[in-house]
Each structure stands twice: as C-alpha cells, then as structure tokens.
Amino acid sequence: MTVQPGSAAVFQIPDRGLTEGCSSGWCELGAIATEPGVVTAVALVGVLTLLAFTYVRDAESACRRERRRVLDERDAFESFADRVSRIDAVSVAADATPTGVPAGALRRIDGDGGDPPGGGPSGRSVTLRRVMAAYRDTVMSLPHYRAEYDETPAESLAAELGPDAATALATDGALSSGAQSALVDRSRRAADARERLADAIGTEIDELDDREAALSAIDRRRRCLVGHLDGIRSDGEADAAIDVWNRLTDLERECDELAADRQRSLDDPPLTPESPLDGESGHPFHDYLYGAEDGPRYPVLAQVAEIADEVRADRDRVGRRIAGSD
C-alpha cells in the first residue's frame, strides 16, 4: 500500500427451551445423538455451519493478512529512517529542485550515483549508495513489496517519499543535510500513516467478529425454532407453528437492523484518505480491504443477506405448514 507524503492514507475492504442448550445449533443434541443416522446428520450440519459464514470469515482472514503487511511496512520505514539518520551527510551546492523526477535521474539513483570514470567511489556517491542500500534492505526487502509494486528502488522511493526527495538525491548525487532531513521525516510519517491504517484495520476486524457473533446467534435461534416445531405433536402443532412464524419474523427484523447498522459503519469508516481518489466509490477504506478479494465487496452485508434468506425460507415453510393445518 502506498501512502503519499503527509497524507493519512491512500488506498492503492428467548424464551426458555428455544435458546438455552442450543449453542451447537441443535436443541437437545445430546439426547438424540445415539439415534440411527444422527451422527452423519450432525457431522453434515457441522460442515454447513462452518460454511454458513464464509464471507465474514474470509474477510477477517484478509484483514489480518493486510494488517500484518501494513505493520511490516511500518517497521521497514522506521528502520530506513533510523539508518538514513546515521549516515554522515555531505555539503552540496544549493540548487533549485525540480518538481518531477526525470527517468534519467531515477536510473542514476538506481545506479547508486555517478562516480567519475576511472576513479574510485567519491565520498559523495558513497552516501547515495548507503541510502539506496538502506532502502533495499528495509522497504524493498519485504516479501510482498516487489511482487505487488513492480518498481525499481528509485521509483519506489519517489512514490513513497515524494518525487522531490528522489530528485534531490539524483541532482546532488549524494545525501545532503536537507535531503537527509526530508527522507527521515517522510519515512517516519510513512510509518505513522501505516500505524494509523493498522489501527483502522484492527477496528474492522473487531467489527467483523461482532457481526459474526450476532449472525451466529440468529442462525442458532433459527435452527432451534425449526427443530422445536418438528418436535411438537400434531394436537399442538398449529399454535406452535404460529409462534415459530412470529419468532422467525423477529429474526428477519434483526437481520434488517444488522444490515442497517453495517451500512452506517460503511458510511463512517475508521479511516479515510485526506484527498479523494480517482474513480473511487463512496467507501474507499472497505474497497481497499475487499476490492481485490474473490468474495463480495461488502462481505458483512452479503452474509446478512444470506442468513436473512434462510430465515425467510424457513418462515415460508412454516407458513405453508400453518395453511395446511387449517
């Protein structure tokens, strides 16, 4: 992920008998576990329960991976800043700094400076070599960096810390005190930005955990209600079915409330870029987290919709059962 100099972040994601004893998704499971065929059925239900929350669980895994990589980048930029701060800067003439980085200048940086033909490395070019070696050993050494950002070290440095910083190195052919100060300052700002981003991703992970817990509770209650109705004798079936139908309606309402609550979270993310991105949607933080994933762009909403569909399907079956008992 690229963080522009000075920016915050740029994203380059009840009643007794019906609830008690149903933590596994089945009421009174222990009492029936020895009946013929039940072991197979329970195993199958366990698999289906695991699959039921794939969207949220995949999203959480993706967030944890991204947070780890962001923290690795934070550490890399802090290490780079420390190493550059310990390099002895050299005196250079004060010239105007261009606003862009010419391709030739980038090649000069990647070539570690321009030593005079036939001569050994000068003190000026040695400082440039040490800067680029530090960048390669820290930021560019991250396992995901070269694979995801097809850039040379000079191009990466310009993108991460500003083209003017790279131009100053190329123009001076060495590390001046001004360039050193800028590199250290911007590297620390890049590390701070990633710290904030990691915190925001951590907030998203906590919310995913909360949403999964809420959806799991709804799904357990749904299964218990249907299992409860199946155990009712025919003489009390109609009243029980109506009660189950009403409770399933309540569960659907809870799904609607969860979806609305998640939508509010999408509209108020824990972190937003300071400047708008080209072609971005209204949810840049969550697009950054989930846009490149194979699953849905909004996994919590997709998971809520899936559980709500199950609730509605069960309610419709119960409704047909009520109609058939009239």
Side-chain angles (χ1 to χ4, degrees):
M1 124 140 225
T2 296
V3 178
Q4 298 293 345
S7 67
V10 175
F11 310 125
Q12 205 168 277
I13 217 72
D15 293 344
R16 183 180 180 87
L18 291 182
T19 57
E20 294 181 7
C22 294
S23 60
S24 66
W26 287 90
C27 295
E28 300 177 356
L29 178 59
I32 64 173
T34 58
E35 294 182 8
V38 168
V39 173
T40 300
V42 170
L44 177 59
V45 170
V47 172
L48 293 177
T49 301
L50 288 175
L51 295 177
F53 300 98
T54 299
Y55 295 149
V56 174
R57 289 170 181 170
D58 285 351
E60 183 177 349
S61 295
C63 285
R64 291 190 184 281
R65 287 194 304 271
E66 183 61 19
R67 186 173 184 273
R68 181 65 267 163
R69 297 198 304 184
V70 168
L71 290 174
D72 288 343
E73 292 181 16
R74 176 205 63 186
D75 294 344
F77 277 104
E78 288 178 346
S79 295
F80 176 66
D82 289 342
R83 287 182 58 168
V84 171
S85 68
R86 293 194 294 267
I87 298 175
D88 292 332
V90 299
S91 299
V92 296
D95 296 322
T97 300
T99 57
V101 185
L106 288 178
R107 287 195 294 271
R108 183 182 183 189
I109 299 176
D110 279 322
D112 297 327
D115 295 326
S122 66
R124 291 162 57 86
S125 65
V126 165
T127 62
L128 179 55
R129 290 174 187 271
R130 293 180 64 187
V131 169
M132 297 313 298
Y135 195 78
R136 282 192 295 270
D137 293 345
T138 55
V139 178
M140 296 298 290
S141 70
L142 295 173
H144 67 276
Y145 223 76
R146 285 187 181 274
E148 294 191 5
Y149 310 113
D150 186 19
E151 299 170 329
T152 67
E155 289 170 338
S156 175
L157 188 146
E160 294 285 4
L161 305 180
D164 55 333
T167 299
L169 286 173
T171 302
D172 298 338
L175 180 68
S176 66
S177 59
Q180 181 183 45
S181 177
L183 286 175
V184 171
D185 177 66
R186 293 183 183 184
S187 295
R188 301 217 187 277
R189 285 157 60 187
D192 289 344
R194 282 161 172 81
E195 179 72 28
R196 293 192 296 273
L197 178 56
D199 289 343
I201 297 174
T203 298
E204 173 70 1
I205 291 171
D206 290 342
E207 181 167 344
L208 291 175
D209 286 341
D210 291 343
R211 302 304 186 207
E212 182 182 355
L215 287 169
S216 295
I218 290 174
D219 195 49
R220 284 197 301 270
R221 289 156 60 196
R222 175 186 70 83
R223 293 174 185 273
C224 287
L225 285 167
V226 174
H228 175 75
L229 182 59
D230 290 340
I232 297 297
R233 288 195 292 261
S234 58
D235 55 351
E237 179 178 346
D239 290 343
I242 292 173
D243 183 57
V244 169
W245 190 92
N246 288 331
R247 291 171 187 270
L248 289 171
T249 299
D250 291 340
L251 293 184
E252 183 181 11
R253 187 178 302 112
E254 289 185 35
C255 288
D256 291 341
E257 291 171 355
L258 276 175
D261 194 36
R262 176 59 175 178
Q263 187 63 56
R264 285 189 289 270
S265 295
L266 292 173
D267 294 336
D268 185 23
L271 186 66
T272 56
E274 290 185 348
S275 56
L277 307 178
D278 294 338
E280 72 175 25
S281 73
H283 308 110
F285 176 71
H286 296 90
D287 288 346
Y288 150 69
L289 287 176
Y290 309 122
E293 297 297 314
D294 293 334
R297 187 175 293 268
Y298 302 112
V300 173
L301 293 180
Q303 200 76 79
V304 172
E306 187 176 78
I307 299 301
D309 285 343
E310 295 286 344
V311 171
R312 281 190 290 270
D314 285 337
R315 190 185 60 185
D316 290 344
R317 283 192 291 270
V318 173
R320 290 192 295 271
R321 190 166 174 173
I322 294 171
S325 64
D326 290 341

